[in-house]
PDB file of all heavy atoms in Angstrom:
ATOM      1  N   GLY A   1       0.833  -1.216   0.004  1.00 59.00           N
ATOM      2  CA  GLY A   1       0.019  -0.008  -0.050  1.00 59.00           C
ATOM      3  C   GLY A   1       0.819   1.263  -0.002  1.00 59.00           C
ATOM      4  O   GLY A   1       0.521   2.213  -0.707  1.00 59.00           O
ATOM      5  N   HIS A   2       1.975   1.256   0.759  1.00 57.00           N
ATOM      6  CA  HIS A   2       2.852   2.420   0.799  1.00 57.00           C
ATOM      7  C   HIS A   2       3.498   2.619  -0.604  1.00 57.00           C
ATOM      8  O   HIS A   2       3.582   3.767  -1.045  1.00 57.00           O
ATOM      9  CB  HIS A   2       3.904   2.166   1.851  1.00 57.00           C
ATOM     10  CG  HIS A   2       4.791   3.404   2.119  1.00 57.00           C
ATOM     11  ND1 HIS A   2       4.348   4.438   2.843  1.00 57.00           N
ATOM     12  CD2 HIS A   2       6.044   3.624   1.738  1.00 57.00           C
ATOM     13  CE1 HIS A   2       5.335   5.353   2.837  1.00 57.00           C
ATOM     14  NE2 HIS A   2       6.352   4.901   2.215  1.00 57.00           N
ATOM     15  N   LEU A   3       3.918   1.567  -1.240  1.00 64.00           N
ATOM     16  CA  LEU A   3       4.521   1.676  -2.555  1.00 64.00           C
ATOM     17  C   LEU A   3       3.546   2.171  -3.568  1.00 64.00           C
ATOM     18  O   LEU A   3       3.861   2.951  -4.463  1.00 64.00           O
ATOM     19  CB  LEU A   3       5.109   0.327  -2.964  1.00 64.00           C
ATOM     20  CG  LEU A   3       5.874   0.292  -4.307  1.00 64.00           C
ATOM     21  CD1 LEU A   3       7.014   1.233  -4.314  1.00 64.00           C
ATOM     22  CD2 LEU A   3       6.368  -1.130  -4.542  1.00 64.00           C
ATOM     23  N   GLU A   4       2.314   1.686  -3.478  1.00 68.00           N
ATOM     24  CA  GLU A   4       1.252   2.133  -4.442  1.00 68.00           C
ATOM     25  C   GLU A   4       0.998   3.606  -4.294  1.00 68.00           C
ATOM     26  O   GLU A   4       0.776   4.325  -5.254  1.00 68.00           O
ATOM     27  CB  GLU A   4      -0.016   1.302  -4.231  1.00 68.00           C
ATOM     28  CG  GLU A   4       0.085  -0.117  -4.723  1.00 68.00           C
ATOM     29  CD  GLU A   4      -1.182  -0.918  -4.410  1.00 68.00           C
ATOM     30  OE1 GLU A   4      -2.125  -0.316  -3.866  1.00 68.00           O
ATOM     31  OE2 GLU A   4      -1.234  -2.128  -4.773  1.00 68.00           O
ATOM     32  N   LYS A   5       0.972   4.093  -3.035  1.00 67.00           N
ATOM     33  CA  LYS A   5       0.772   5.520  -2.816  1.00 67.00           C
ATOM     34  C   LYS A   5       1.883   6.358  -3.431  1.00 67.00           C
ATOM     35  O   LYS A   5       1.621   7.410  -4.004  1.00 67.00           O
ATOM     36  CB  LYS A   5       0.623   5.801  -1.362  1.00 67.00           C
ATOM     37  CG  LYS A   5      -0.663   5.326  -0.721  1.00 67.00           C
ATOM     38  CD  LYS A   5      -0.694   5.603   0.782  1.00 67.00           C
ATOM     39  CE  LYS A   5      -1.992   5.084   1.421  1.00 67.00           C
ATOM     40  NZ  LYS A   5      -2.032   5.384   2.864  1.00 67.00           N
ATOM     41  N   LEU A   6       3.127   5.875  -3.303  1.00 66.00           N
ATOM     42  CA  LEU A   6       4.226   6.606  -3.869  1.00 66.00           C
ATOM     43  C   LEU A   6       4.122   6.658  -5.437  1.00 66.00           C
ATOM     44  O   LEU A   6       4.313   7.708  -6.054  1.00 66.00           O
ATOM     45  CB  LEU A   6       5.554   5.938  -3.493  1.00 66.00           C
ATOM     46  CG  LEU A   6       6.080   6.214  -2.107  1.00 66.00           C
ATOM     47  CD1 LEU A   6       7.332   5.358  -1.804  1.00 66.00           C
ATOM     48  CD2 LEU A   6       6.439   7.689  -1.990  1.00 66.00           C
ATOM     49  N   LEU A   7       3.720   5.550  -6.050  1.00 69.00           N
ATOM     50  CA  LEU A   7       3.631   5.484  -7.479  1.00 69.00           C
ATOM     51  C   LEU A   7       2.451   6.340  -7.946  1.00 69.00           C
ATOM     52  O   LEU A   7       2.579   7.032  -8.991  1.00 69.00           O
ATOM     53  CB  LEU A   7       3.485   4.040  -7.934  1.00 69.00           C
ATOM     54  CG  LEU A   7       4.653   3.119  -7.687  1.00 69.00           C
ATOM     55  CD1 LEU A   7       4.335   1.694  -8.151  1.00 69.00           C
ATOM     56  CD2 LEU A   7       5.918   3.651  -8.486  1.00 69.00           C
ATOM     57  N   GLU A   8       1.313   6.263  -7.222  1.00 75.00           N
ATOM     58  CA  GLU A   8       0.219   7.085  -7.624  1.00 75.00           C
ATOM     59  C   GLU A   8       0.524   8.562  -7.506  1.00 75.00           C
ATOM     60  O   GLU A   8       0.153   9.384  -8.362  1.00 75.00           O
ATOM     61  CB  GLU A   8      -1.007   6.756  -6.755  1.00 75.00           C
ATOM     62  CG  GLU A   8      -1.589   5.378  -7.045  1.00 75.00           C
ATOM     63  CD  GLU A   8      -2.761   5.073  -6.103  1.00 75.00           C
ATOM     64  OE1 GLU A   8      -3.048   5.850  -5.214  1.00 75.00           O
ATOM     65  OE2 GLU A   8      -3.348   3.940  -6.270  1.00 75.00           O
ATOM     66  N   GLY A   9       1.192   8.960  -6.416  1.00 69.00           N
ATOM     67  CA  GLY A   9       1.512  10.374  -6.246  1.00 69.00           C
ATOM     68  C   GLY A   9       2.490  10.854  -7.333  1.00 69.00           C
ATOM     69  O   GLY A   9       2.379  11.974  -7.795  1.00 69.00           O
ATOM     70  N   ARG A  10       3.470   9.975  -7.686  1.00 78.00           N
ATOM     71  CA  ARG A  10       4.371  10.366  -8.742  1.00 78.00           C
ATOM     72  C   ARG A  10       3.687  10.520 -10.093  1.00 78.00           C
ATOM     73  O   ARG A  10       3.995  11.471 -10.820  1.00 78.00           O
ATOM     74  CB  ARG A  10       5.504   9.296  -8.836  1.00 78.00           C
ATOM     75  CG  ARG A  10       6.557   9.668  -9.780  1.00 78.00           C
ATOM     76  CD  ARG A  10       7.689   8.594  -9.842  1.00 78.00           C
ATOM     77  NE  ARG A  10       8.711   8.898 -10.773  1.00 78.00           N
ATOM     78  CZ  ARG A  10       9.759   9.721 -10.508  1.00 78.00           C
ATOM     79  NH1 ARG A  10       9.876  10.236  -9.321  1.00 78.00           N
ATOM     80  NH2 ARG A  10      10.661   9.951 -11.415  1.00 78.00           N
ATOM     81  N   GLY A  11       2.738   9.641 -10.380  1.00 81.00           N
ATOM     82  CA  GLY A  11       2.054   9.711 -11.645  1.00 81.00           C
ATOM     83  C   GLY A  11       1.155  10.985 -11.696  1.00 81.00           C
ATOM     84  O   GLY A  11       1.089  11.666 -12.732  1.00 81.00           O
ATOM     85  N   LEU A  12       0.483  11.253 -10.572  1.00 84.00           N
ATOM     86  CA  LEU A  12      -0.341  12.495 -10.544  1.00 84.00           C
ATOM     87  C   LEU A  12       0.493  13.715 -10.664  1.00 84.00           C
ATOM     88  O   LEU A  12       0.115  14.692 -11.337  1.00 84.00           O
ATOM     89  CB  LEU A  12      -1.127  12.497  -9.191  1.00 84.00           C
ATOM     90  CG  LEU A  12      -2.030  13.696  -8.966  1.00 84.00           C
ATOM     91  CD1 LEU A  12      -3.088  13.813 -10.020  1.00 84.00           C
ATOM     92  CD2 LEU A  12      -2.647  13.622  -7.551  1.00 84.00           C
ATOM     93  N   LEU A  13       1.662  13.801  -9.987  1.00 86.00           N
ATOM     94  CA  LEU A  13       2.528  14.954 -10.118  1.00 86.00           C
ATOM     95  C   LEU A  13       3.067  15.102 -11.514  1.00 86.00           C
ATOM     96  O   LEU A  13       3.225  16.273 -11.980  1.00 86.00           O
ATOM     97  CB  LEU A  13       3.701  14.775  -9.098  1.00 86.00           C
ATOM     98  CG  LEU A  13       4.542  16.028  -8.853  1.00 86.00           C
ATOM     99  CD1 LEU A  13       3.648  17.143  -8.320  1.00 86.00           C
ATOM    100  CD2 LEU A  13       5.644  15.736  -7.862  1.00 86.00           C
ATOM    101  N   GLN A  14       3.320  14.051 -12.253  1.00 88.00           N
ATOM    102  CA  GLN A  14       3.748  14.131 -13.655  1.00 88.00           C
ATOM    103  C   GLN A  14       2.661  14.774 -14.488  1.00 88.00           C
ATOM    104  O   GLN A  14       2.914  15.669 -15.355  1.00 88.00           O
ATOM    105  CB  GLN A  14       4.129  12.763 -14.213  1.00 88.00           C
ATOM    106  CG  GLN A  14       5.428  12.247 -13.671  1.00 88.00           C
ATOM    107  CD  GLN A  14       5.754  10.847 -14.203  1.00 88.00           C
ATOM    108  OE1 GLN A  14       4.902  10.181 -14.781  1.00 88.00           O
ATOM    109  NE2 GLN A  14       6.964  10.366 -13.968  1.00 88.00           N
ATOM    110  N   LYS A  15       1.404  14.381 -14.278  1.00 89.00           N
ATOM    111  CA  LYS A  15       0.307  14.923 -15.064  1.00 89.00           C
ATOM    112  C   LYS A  15       0.108  16.423 -14.733  1.00 89.00           C
ATOM    113  O   LYS A  15      -0.055  17.285 -15.617  1.00 89.00           O
ATOM    114  CB  LYS A  15      -0.996  14.176 -14.752  1.00 89.00           C
ATOM    115  CG  LYS A  15      -0.926  12.755 -15.262  1.00 89.00           C
ATOM    116  CD  LYS A  15      -2.231  12.006 -14.851  1.00 89.00           C
ATOM    117  CE  LYS A  15      -2.167  10.550 -15.359  1.00 89.00           C
ATOM    118  NZ  LYS A  15      -3.431   9.810 -14.935  1.00 89.00           N
ATOM    119  N   LEU A  16       0.138  16.810 -13.489  1.00 90.00           N
ATOM    120  CA  LEU A  16       0.016  18.177 -13.064  1.00 90.00           C
ATOM    121  C   LEU A  16       1.148  19.057 -13.628  1.00 90.00           C
ATOM    122  O   LEU A  16       0.885  20.169 -14.088  1.00 90.00           O
ATOM    123  CB  LEU A  16      -0.033  18.270 -11.544  1.00 90.00           C
ATOM    124  CG  LEU A  16      -1.242  17.685 -10.866  1.00 90.00           C
ATOM    125  CD1 LEU A  16      -1.092  17.730  -9.362  1.00 90.00           C
ATOM    126  CD2 LEU A  16      -2.532  18.458 -11.238  1.00 90.00           C
ATOM    127  N   THR A  17       2.349  18.488 -13.655  1.00 91.00           N
ATOM    128  CA  THR A  17       3.486  19.213 -14.218  1.00 91.00           C
ATOM    129  C   THR A  17       3.293  19.467 -15.704  1.00 91.00           C
ATOM    130  O   THR A  17       3.557  20.587 -16.210  1.00 91.00           O
ATOM    131  CB  THR A  17       4.775  18.406 -14.017  1.00 91.00           C
ATOM    132  OG1 THR A  17       4.989  18.214 -12.583  1.00 91.00           O
ATOM    133  CG2 THR A  17       5.990  19.159 -14.554  1.00 91.00           C
ATOM    134  N   GLY A  18       2.804  18.470 -16.410  1.00 91.00           N
ATOM    135  CA  GLY A  18       2.506  18.622 -17.851  1.00 91.00           C
ATOM    136  C   GLY A  18       1.467  19.673 -18.100  1.00 91.00           C
ATOM    137  O   GLY A  18       1.594  20.472 -19.054  1.00 91.00           O
ATOM    138  N   PHE A  19       0.425  19.749 -17.249  1.00 92.00           N
ATOM    139  CA  PHE A  19      -0.606  20.766 -17.408  1.00 92.00           C
ATOM    140  C   PHE A  19      -0.017  22.176 -17.188  1.00 92.00           C
ATOM    141  O   PHE A  19      -0.335  23.064 -17.918  1.00 92.00           O
ATOM    142  CB  PHE A  19      -1.747  20.497 -16.464  1.00 92.00           C
ATOM    143  CG  PHE A  19      -2.712  19.445 -16.928  1.00 92.00           C
ATOM    144  CD1 PHE A  19      -2.959  18.303 -16.195  1.00 92.00           C
ATOM    145  CD2 PHE A  19      -3.330  19.579 -18.169  1.00 92.00           C
ATOM    146  CE1 PHE A  19      -3.810  17.330 -16.615  1.00 92.00           C
ATOM    147  CE2 PHE A  19      -4.225  18.599 -18.591  1.00 92.00           C
ATOM    148  CZ  PHE A  19      -4.456  17.499 -17.816  1.00 92.00           C
ATOM    149  N   HIS A  20       0.824  22.313 -16.160  1.00 93.00           N
ATOM    150  CA  HIS A  20       1.460  23.634 -15.898  1.00 93.00           C
ATOM    151  C   HIS A  20       2.241  24.136 -17.117  1.00 93.00           C
ATOM    152  O   HIS A  20       2.089  25.306 -17.534  1.00 93.00           O
ATOM    153  CB  HIS A  20       2.356  23.531 -14.675  1.00 93.00           C
ATOM    154  CG  HIS A  20       1.672  23.635 -13.348  1.00 93.00           C
ATOM    155  ND1 HIS A  20       1.082  24.790 -12.886  1.00 93.00           N
ATOM    156  CD2 HIS A  20       1.448  22.670 -12.442  1.00 93.00           C
ATOM    157  CE1 HIS A  20       0.531  24.592 -11.720  1.00 93.00           C
ATOM    158  NE2 HIS A  20       0.756  23.289 -11.404  1.00 93.00           N
ATOM    159  N   ILE A  21       3.064  23.303 -17.646  1.00 94.00           N
ATOM    160  CA  ILE A  21       3.893  23.678 -18.774  1.00 94.00           C
ATOM    161  C   ILE A  21       3.065  23.941 -19.988  1.00 94.00           C
ATOM    162  O   ILE A  21       3.379  24.922 -20.779  1.00 94.00           O
ATOM    163  CB  ILE A  21       5.010  22.557 -19.017  1.00 94.00           C
ATOM    164  CG1 ILE A  21       5.928  22.482 -17.821  1.00 94.00           C
ATOM    165  CG2 ILE A  21       5.772  22.905 -20.273  1.00 94.00           C
ATOM    166  CD1 ILE A  21       6.926  21.368 -17.907  1.00 94.00           C
ATOM    167  N   THR A  22       2.039  23.147 -20.240  1.00 94.00           N
ATOM    168  CA  THR A  22       1.198  23.389 -21.409  1.00 94.00           C
ATOM    169  C   THR A  22       0.422  24.711 -21.311  1.00 94.00           C
ATOM    170  O   THR A  22       0.317  25.447 -22.278  1.00 94.00           O
ATOM    171  CB  THR A  22       0.166  22.203 -21.507  1.00 94.00           C
ATOM    172  OG1 THR A  22       0.896  20.947 -21.633  1.00 94.00           O
ATOM    173  CG2 THR A  22      -0.719  22.398 -22.720  1.00 94.00           C
ATOM    174  N   ILE A  23      -0.078  25.013 -20.141  1.00 94.00           N
ATOM    175  CA  ILE A  23      -0.772  26.261 -19.921  1.00 94.00           C
ATOM    176  C   ILE A  23       0.144  27.448 -20.102  1.00 94.00           C
ATOM    177  O   ILE A  23      -0.204  28.502 -20.648  1.00 94.00           O
ATOM    178  CB  ILE A  23      -1.423  26.294 -18.546  1.00 94.00           C
ATOM    179  CG1 ILE A  23      -2.602  25.280 -18.509  1.00 94.00           C
ATOM    180  CG2 ILE A  23      -1.932  27.677 -18.180  1.00 94.00           C
ATOM    181  CD1 ILE A  23      -3.189  25.131 -17.065  1.00 94.00           C
ATOM    182  N   ALA A  24       1.406  27.303 -19.695  1.00 94.00           N
ATOM    183  CA  ALA A  24       2.379  28.380 -19.880  1.00 94.00           C
ATOM    184  C   ALA A  24       2.599  28.657 -21.375  1.00 94.00           C
ATOM    185  O   ALA A  24       2.633  29.848 -21.783  1.00 94.00           O
ATOM    186  CB  ALA A  24       3.705  28.009 -19.224  1.00 94.00           C
ATOM    187  N   PHE A  25       2.766  27.639 -22.138  1.00 95.00           N
ATOM    188  CA  PHE A  25       2.969  27.849 -23.609  1.00 95.00           C
ATOM    189  C   PHE A  25       1.735  28.376 -24.257  1.00 95.00           C
ATOM    190  O   PHE A  25       1.848  29.122 -25.281  1.00 95.00           O
ATOM    191  CB  PHE A  25       3.506  26.577 -24.230  1.00 95.00           C
ATOM    192  CG  PHE A  25       4.934  26.290 -23.973  1.00 95.00           C
ATOM    193  CD1 PHE A  25       5.301  25.213 -23.198  1.00 95.00           C
ATOM    194  CD2 PHE A  25       5.941  27.050 -24.576  1.00 95.00           C
ATOM    195  CE1 PHE A  25       6.656  24.973 -22.902  1.00 95.00           C
ATOM    196  CE2 PHE A  25       7.279  26.816 -24.273  1.00 95.00           C
ATOM    197  CZ  PHE A  25       7.620  25.784 -23.496  1.00 95.00           C
ATOM    198  N   VAL A  26       0.553  27.954 -23.846  1.00 94.00           N
ATOM    199  CA  VAL A  26      -0.675  28.483 -24.391  1.00 94.00           C
ATOM    200  C   VAL A  26      -0.811  29.966 -24.092  1.00 94.00           C
ATOM    201  O   VAL A  26      -1.209  30.766 -24.970  1.00 94.00           O
ATOM    202  CB  VAL A  26      -1.887  27.683 -23.828  1.00 94.00           C
ATOM    203  CG1 VAL A  26      -3.193  28.435 -24.216  1.00 94.00           C
ATOM    204  CG2 VAL A  26      -1.903  26.299 -24.394  1.00 94.00           C
ATOM    205  N   HIS A  27      -0.437  30.367 -22.882  1.00 95.00           N
ATOM    206  CA  HIS A  27      -0.438  31.797 -22.515  1.00 95.00           C
ATOM    207  C   HIS A  27       0.495  32.568 -23.463  1.00 95.00           C
ATOM    208  O   HIS A  27       0.197  33.691 -23.886  1.00 95.00           O
ATOM    209  CB  HIS A  27      -0.082  31.999 -21.088  1.00 95.00           C
ATOM    210  CG  HIS A  27      -1.220  31.942 -20.173  1.00 95.00           C
ATOM    211  ND1 HIS A  27      -1.972  30.848 -19.933  1.00 95.00           N
ATOM    212  CD2 HIS A  27      -1.840  32.945 -19.391  1.00 95.00           C
ATOM    213  CE1 HIS A  27      -2.931  31.096 -19.041  1.00 95.00           C
ATOM    214  NE2 HIS A  27      -2.869  32.372 -18.727  1.00 95.00           N
ATOM    215  N   LEU A  28       1.696  32.067 -23.691  1.00 94.00           N
ATOM    216  CA  LEU A  28       2.596  32.749 -24.506  1.00 94.00           C
ATOM    217  C   LEU A  28       2.122  32.830 -25.978  1.00 94.00           C
ATOM    218  O   LEU A  28       2.236  33.911 -26.621  1.00 94.00           O
ATOM    219  CB  LEU A  28       3.950  32.003 -24.539  1.00 94.00           C
ATOM    220  CG  LEU A  28       4.823  32.100 -23.276  1.00 94.00           C
ATOM    221  CD1 LEU A  28       6.079  31.209 -23.403  1.00 94.00           C
ATOM    222  CD2 LEU A  28       5.249  33.560 -23.052  1.00 94.00           C
TER     223      LEU A  28
END
């Protein structure tokens, strides 16, 4: 369960990071 939480959090953070960078380039 602890390992699954780490992997889920890492995957979610990757998606959120991609959204941040995409929104930045759309604004530009």
Side-chain angles (χ1 to χ4, degrees):
H2 187 76
L3 183 59
E4 288 178 0
K5 289 180 180 179
L6 281 173
L7 295 177
E8 289 177 0
R10 185 178 179 84
L12 179 60
L13 193 59
Q14 287 179 349
K15 294 177 182 178
L16 293 173
T17 301
F19 280 123
H20 278 288
I21 296 175
T22 302
I23 291 172
F25 283 110
V26 169
H27 271 68
L28 286 175

